[in-house]
Amino acid sequence: MELDKIKFILDSDTFIRAKRTHYPFDFAMPFWNALIQYGKEGIICSIDKVYNEITEGNDELSEWIISFKESIILTETNEIISNYSKLINWVGQNAQYNQNAKDEFYDSERADAWLLATALTYNKTIVTHEVFNGSITKRVPIPNVCKEFNIQYIDIYQMLRELNFTF
């Protein structure tokens, strides 16, 4: 996969919310097929931790993500691990978040910190449905970290518009 060609890195909730709401498999297969095609073209990707979270679901989405596997970035590179450490340290020193929020962010099996570290490492845009919340204490939203580290983020609809997707 050519990393310089990739524009967008998709968060778990992008896939999960799409399946549960506007793009269910029974009538929105053009959406899912487009994601596979964009992945093959090297325009979008996700990371191994997102892949792992989704395959735990043992449902239609977990079966589908296997076809997207060639568009998955492995996160265990020195550069990503270095940026992961920076993010973890920032959250740890941030008094805004309670300890449970920090512990959840620190969990190395969860995708959020790795997704952010990957986007920071490769200067890519994260696609997520999460929104910035300057007063939240019970979790660490992806956009809050994006704002601190100047990582671009958009939602799935903005991404689809930029890619000129239509049904």
Side-chain angles (χ1 to χ4, degrees):
M1 182 180 324
E2 294 178 49
L3 292 172
D4 33 329
K5 191 175 178 184
I6 294 170
K7 293 174 120 179
F8 307 109
I9 302 177
L10 282 66
D11 183 19
S12 302
D13 81 323
T14 302
F15 298 111
I16 294 166
R17 193 175 298 193
K19 177 194 168 270
R20 289 182 181 164
T21 59
H22 305 307
Y23 304 111
F25 286 101
D26 61 341
F27 71 82
M29 278 312 292
F31 167 81
W32 299 100
N33 292 335
L35 292 184
I36 290 171
Q37 188 58 41
Y38 294 138
K40 287 180 179 177
E41 293 170 10
I43 298 168
I44 69 170
C45 70
S46 196
I47 62 168
D48 51 358
K49 303 296 184 186
V50 166
Y51 181 86
N52 295 344
E53 285 181 0
I54 291 175
T55 55
E56 287 176 3
N58 197 23
D59 60 4
E60 247 180 334
L61 182 58
S62 66
E63 292 172 18
W64 174 87
I65 197 97
I66 293 167
S67 61
F68 192 73
K69 190 168 184 164
E70 71 182 62
S71 304
I72 299 294
I73 294 176
L74 300 177
T75 53
E76 296 184 10
T77 69
N78 290 336
E79 298 84 5
I80 293 173
I81 291 169
S82 175
N83 282 323
Y84 177 83
S85 295
K86 287 178 193 174
L87 298 167
I88 294 295
N89 288 335
W90 178 78
V91 167
Q93 295 171 3
N94 194 316
Q96 174 179 341
Y97 305 109
N98 69 32
Q99 193 57 50
N100 287 339
K102 291 177 182 185
D103 291 343
E104 183 178 295
F105 192 81
Y106 300 157
D107 183 348
S108 64
E109 294 304 311
R110 296 183 57 89
D112 288 3
W114 291 107
L115 185 78
L116 286 153
T118 304
L120 182 60
T121 300
Y122 299 122
N123 194 28
K124 304 302 176 188
T125 300
I126 292 178
V127 179
T128 184
H129 285 288
E130 293 184 23
V131 295
F132 177 81
N133 183 336
S135 61
I136 194 167
T137 60
K138 295 182 180 181
R139 51 186 233 57
V140 181
I142 288 172
N144 288 29
V145 182
C146 286
K147 184 175 179 184
E148 179 66 27
F149 287 88
N150 295 314
I151 300 168
Q152 297 295 312
Y153 68 96
I154 60 174
D155 65 28
I156 188 72
Y157 307 112
Q158 289 173 279
M159 182 192 85
L160 292 173
R161 285 183 184 103
E162 285 188 34
L163 295 174
N164 296 313
F165 171 79
T166 59
F167 278 101

